[in-house]
Amino acid sequence: MITGNSESLDKSHFEHYVIVTNKSHPSQFESMRFLVELNPTAVLDFDPESTKHGLQCHFSQQSTVSVHLPAQYKITEGVEDIANKLKLTRNTNWICCNGGVENEMPSDIDQWLMDKGASIRDVISFLCRKDVLPNKRFLVIFLLLSTVSEKMDPLVETFRTFWQELRGTDQILCLCDNENTFNSWRDLIESRCGIDISGRCIYELSFAEVNGTVLSLWSKNRRSSRFLPCGGGSKVLLRKEDEQSLNTLEILCVNQCEGGNEDKIVIEENFYKGGKVSWWNFYFSEQPGSMPFIKRDKLDYIMNTVIPDLCSLRKACVLLNLMHVPGCGGTTLAMHTLWAHRDRFRCAVLRSSNANFTDAAHQVVKLLMYDHNEQVPTVPVLLMIDDFDDMEKVFDLQQFIEKECGQKKIQSKSAQVILLNCMRSESSEVPESTDTVFIGKNLSEKEHRMFEENL
């Protein structure tokens, strides 16, 4: 919706973005980095305190802003005059739509309609001129940072004018972070305009998820930042200081390895000649023209049967044992399982089997709840543990995680943490069950053929 049906913002259908927003709160500012990256041509701001300690004040610390009043946009004849007014540069034209600048006091709704409504209509008509912004190549985003409650709220009138000027809603997108704000907005638009705006609204994501998802649509951000999944394809930004605080875990991100410059040939030759697998092996195997990574027969069974069954259990932390004979590729299969789930689960590897379990459990739950405003996580954690010498330690870690989830009062009807216990077994007589998968030395004919081809 925000790119006009392209897969990234590097090649977005939209050349310009116009933001319409209302009363903000400081707690929202950290999730507004995407606005700076969008570099909006204009922002119509209805928050009277925006320039002092609101969104405009925060935005101007990161980008160049030109503050205007709506009256400056009254249309006059002449294309040159129009271009001079808007100054289509990298600057964002911040239009204070209801006070907020010196000698300009905010108005109540009745006064606003009489004193300022006409000026806002001039602004919108101005922006929608084909000789100002390219026809159908700009998107208007209504960023609802607080509930729109009055039937004749200026924001509703602003929407109605854009809707009329653009002859529909194809160039309009509405963002809010809760269902109450959405319901109020939808009902007001239906009452005032007679249309259902639901299909052009995003409201089931938090602003942190909107922020991370939009940022990840630029290739430069995927190379420089790291992102965690939040379900449904949405993402949140994993801040460096937060990742450093999770020091017992090696976190596998959605965009792992993007932007790296490792030597593909050296890494692949090392692995297929008996070296230890790395995330780079999986990453390179997915690049165009590369041979696919050898998918063990048990991988599909783990992904399609075992893990879904474990996820359905109403237990905070569940266990999947991957038992394997030394040297048969058990660790590689476990890592492949994480790699295949990195966009659906929050995946990590416990760095050491000797880690303090209290710290480890705390950090696992912190990863689970990262950037969630409520106590209901949207995606589980898939945690790989390796080199544990006995099952008692595995059960101990499981209990510590369950206890931590209970203390944090996490609400869920399904498993929230899956422990993928990769454990060596000297015996090849390990019975498989609903929570145990065994990997032996012998390759199937299909696996053997693929390995020979890649080698």
Side-chain angles (χ1 to χ4, degrees):
M1 293 172 77
I2 205 165
T3 64
N5 292 323
S6 71
E7 293 185 359
S8 77
L9 278 163
D10 297 332
K11 48 185 178 181
S12 174
H13 168 78
F14 299 114
E15 298 175 6
H16 299 275
Y17 293 88
V18 174
I19 310 296
V20 183
T21 190
N22 59 352
K23 182 67 178 177
S24 63
H25 189 275
S27 63
Q28 299 166 324
F29 295 162
E30 189 174 356
S31 300
M32 293 295 130
R33 177 181 154 189
F34 76 97
L35 288 182
V36 177
E37 297 271 353
L38 282 175
N39 187 36
T41 300
V43 176
L44 280 65
D45 193 343
F46 287 84
D47 180 2
E49 300 178 323
S50 188
T51 56
K52 292 183 178 180
H53 44 74
L55 188 60
Q56 189 275 324
C57 180
H58 174 76
F59 187 95
S60 62
Q61 295 172 9
Q62 306 170 66
S63 186
T64 305
V65 173
S66 300
V67 179
H68 306 292
L69 288 172
Q72 295 175 246
Y73 287 82
K74 186 174 180 60
I75 294 178
T76 60
E77 294 297 327
V79 175
E80 289 186 5
D81 183 57
I82 292 174
N84 288 334
K85 281 179 179 290
L86 191 56
K87 295 179 181 177
L88 289 178
T89 65
R90 295 289 295 175
N91 293 5
T92 293
N93 294 273
W94 206 282
I95 306 164
C96 297
C97 297
N98 191 17
V101 295
E102 190 175 356
N103 300 324
E104 184 73 15
M105 300 300 294
S107 307
D108 60 30
I109 180 58
D110 292 331
Q111 185 184 6
W112 185 91
L113 289 170
M114 294 295 294
D115 296 346
K116 300 168 184 173
S119 294
I120 298 301
R121 287 191 291 273
D122 284 340
V123 172
I124 296 170
S125 295
F126 174 77
L127 293 172
C128 293
R129 287 179 64 119
K130 295 179 182 179
D131 47 9
V132 174
L133 294 179
N135 187 32
K136 299 187 182 301
R137 299 303 296 270
F138 69 94
L139 181 68
V140 181
I141 301 176
F142 280 78
L143 182 63
L144 308 180
L145 299 176
S146 55
T147 302
V148 183
S149 56
E150 298 292 335
K151 187 172 183 178
M152 295 298 290
D153 189 289
L155 229 63
V156 178
E157 291 305 298
T158 301
F159 175 91
R160 186 169 182 267
T161 306
F162 268 117
W163 171 61
Q164 292 171 333
E165 289 279 351
L166 298 172
R167 302 182 186 279
T169 60
D170 288 348
Q171 287 175 252
I172 297 175
L173 173 62
C174 306
L175 299 177
C176 53
D177 69 345
N178 66 79
E179 193 166 0
N180 290 335
T181 300
F182 161 72
N183 288 335
S184 174
W185 178 247
R186 178 199 59 200
D187 294 345
L188 288 169
I189 297 302
E190 185 173 6
S191 173
R192 190 75 179 96
C193 304
I195 61 171
D196 184 0
I197 194 62
S198 302
R200 300 298 300 174
C201 289
I202 295 175
Y203 62 92
E204 292 184 335
L205 303 180
S206 67
F207 284 133
E209 291 168 332
V210 169
N211 183 61
T213 305
V214 175
L215 290 178
S216 72
L217 292 172
W218 275 284
S219 59
K220 64 182 179 67
N221 289 333
R222 293 194 300 274
R223 291 191 296 266
S224 63
S225 302
R226 287 165 60 77
F227 298 93
L228 294 174
C230 281
S234 66
K235 304 171 184 68
V236 292
L237 179 68
L238 178 59
R239 295 173 289 276
K240 290 182 180 180
E241 61 272 21
D242 293 324
E243 183 169 11
Q244 290 170 356
S245 71
L246 303 174
N247 55 8
T248 68
L249 308 176
E250 177 193 348
I251 298 173
L252 173 63
C253 285
V254 174
N255 58 320
Q256 191 79 23
C257 300
E258 290 193 45
N261 57 359
E262 298 295 316
D263 190 312
K264 178 177 183 291
I265 295 177
V266 171
I267 287 177
E268 289 192 334
E269 283 188 353
N270 178 65
F271 172 66
Y272 286 108
K273 289 181 179 179
K276 188 176 180 181
V277 73
S278 73
W279 302 127
W280 286 101
N281 292 109
F282 302 111
Y283 174 76
F284 287 138
S285 70
E286 294 179 348
Q287 302 312 300
S290 297
M291 297 190 71
F293 195 86
I294 297 174
K295 184 170 69 172
R296 298 296 299 270
D297 294 342
K298 290 290 176 71
L299 181 64
D300 285 338
Y301 173 64
I302 292 171
M303 291 183 60
N304 301 327
T305 302
V306 180
I307 289 182
D309 287 348
L310 289 173
C311 285
S312 66
L313 299 177
R314 300 189 65 172
K315 188 176 181 181
C317 183
V318 296
L319 180 62
L320 167 57
N321 295 305
L322 182 57
M323 312 298 290
H324 63 97
V325 175
C328 72
T331 300
T332 299
L333 177 57
M335 290 179 65
H336 200 174
T337 302
L338 263 65
W339 182 264
H341 285 89
R342 72 191 188 283
D343 60 345
R344 287 176 282 170
F345 293 174
R346 294 187 173 179
C347 297
V349 180
L350 187 67
R351 292 185 184 277
S352 172
S353 59
N354 296 318
N356 181 291
F357 285 175
T358 300
D359 293 340
H362 174 75
Q363 292 182 23
V364 167
V365 174
K366 184 177 178 181
L367 177 62
L368 174 71
M369 299 305 299
Y370 188 77
D371 265 352
H372 284 310
N373 296 329
E374 300 179 358
Q375 294 302 99
V376 184
T378 55
V379 292
V381 166
L382 180 58
L383 178 67
M384 174 181 163
I385 55 177
D386 199 5
D387 290 332
F388 275 53
D389 49 19
D390 64 70
M391 286 299 298
E392 288 300 321
K393 290 181 66 177
V394 175
F395 293 140
D396 287 346
L397 177 59
Q398 184 180 18
Q399 290 179 350
F400 272 93
I401 294 173
E402 289 180 345
K403 181 180 178 181
E404 184 73 15
C405 287
Q407 290 176 344
K408 292 291 189 294
K409 298 181 179 179
I410 295 172
Q411 304 169 12
S412 179
K413 296 181 180 179
S414 60
Q416 293 309 306
V417 178
I418 301 171
L419 284 182
L420 177 54
N421 174 34
C422 186
M423 181 173 282
R424 293 171 177 80
S425 173
E426 298 298 333
S427 171
S428 59
E429 303 296 325
V430 178
E432 291 196 347
S433 62
T434 55
D435 62 0
T436 301
V437 176
F438 177 74
I439 303 296
K441 288 184 176 179
N442 296 328
L443 296 176
S444 69
E445 183 178 340
K446 176 183 175 183
E447 292 170 337
H448 186 77
R449 185 173 63 253
M450 290 181 65
F451 192 91
E452 289 295 325
E453 288 175 358
N454 283 20
L455 179 60

